[in-house]
Amino acid sequence: MPFKIQTVLTDNGKSFTDRFTRAGERQPSGRHPFDQVCQKKGIEHRLIKPGRPQTNGMVERFNGRVSDVLATRRYESGEDLEQTLKRYNWLYNHHIPQKALHHQSPISAMKEWQIKRPELFNKRVIIHAGSDTGPVPAGHVVDAACRWS
């Protein structure tokens, strides 16, 4: 990542925490692997409030978009599927404006944030060749994200 992660917000699922049970909140054991990684890296791990699925809305919308992309064709191999996912990720990051980012693409917003708050970044954000010129050509393999230097 080109930036320093300070806080992570997750749902209360078992894949992220052992802080919750069906009976309600309890103290974290500190042994859950996700919590251990966050502690090791100095990242604050926040949880959404139970019963508030709206907080997951952006993630669910993104997952729905990916599902729509995957449903549009058949895949000949795992590599074919992987290339499709990489292309979509690239298009999403470089070309699809997001309302939450003031109608900018994620990479444009990151470049703007880096100019305003360079102390939050540990690498320079660079748009690699061709990313501002149009969609990825058919059959072209791209990185899953933009490149950093």
Side-chain angles (χ1 to χ4, degrees):
M1 286 292 159
F3 48 84
K4 301 169 189 166
I5 299 172
Q6 298 173 336
T7 305
V8 174
L9 179 67
T10 67
D11 66 19
N12 303 301
K14 291 179 183 178
S15 54
F16 295 113
T17 189
D18 61 357
R19 297 183 207 186
F20 285 84
T21 64
R22 290 181 189 261
E25 188 172 350
R26 63 183 167 118
Q27 291 297 314
S29 69
R31 291 179 296 203
H32 190 280
F34 193 85
D35 282 327
Q36 287 179 340
V37 168
C38 288
Q39 290 168 7
K40 181 180 175 185
K41 303 277 186 184
I43 298 169
E44 178 186 5
H45 179 199
R46 294 183 187 172
L47 301 173
I48 66 170
K49 292 180 182 179
R52 300 280 304 183
Q54 304 89 315
T55 307
N56 274 345
M58 282 195 294
V59 173
E60 296 302 330
R61 260 190 314 281
F62 180 78
N63 289 344
R65 286 179 173 179
V66 171
S67 292
D68 291 345
V69 167
L70 296 178
T72 61
R73 62 180 284 223
R74 292 181 60 124
Y75 301 93
E76 302 297 323
S77 65
E79 292 82 17
D80 186 23
L81 172 62
E82 182 179 1
Q83 286 183 7
T84 298
L85 290 171
K86 285 180 177 182
R87 279 193 299 272
Y88 180 73
N89 190 16
W90 183 82
L91 288 169
Y92 182 90
N93 285 326
H94 291 274
H95 292 285
I96 300 176
Q98 303 297 313
K99 185 176 179 181
L101 300 175
H102 305 290
H103 304 284
Q104 293 181 339
S105 67
I107 189 68
S108 295
M110 278 185 50
K111 287 175 68 176
E112 187 176 295
W113 294 336
Q114 188 169 37
I115 291 166
K116 292 179 181 176
R117 300 282 310 275
E119 72 279 4
L120 297 177
F121 290 77
N122 53 32
K123 294 182 179 179
R124 192 164 59 101
V125 177
I126 299 173
I127 296 183
H128 52 89
S131 63
D132 290 330
T133 61
V136 180
H140 183 71
V141 179
V142 297
D143 291 340
C146 53
R147 297 179 190 263
W148 323 110
S149 71

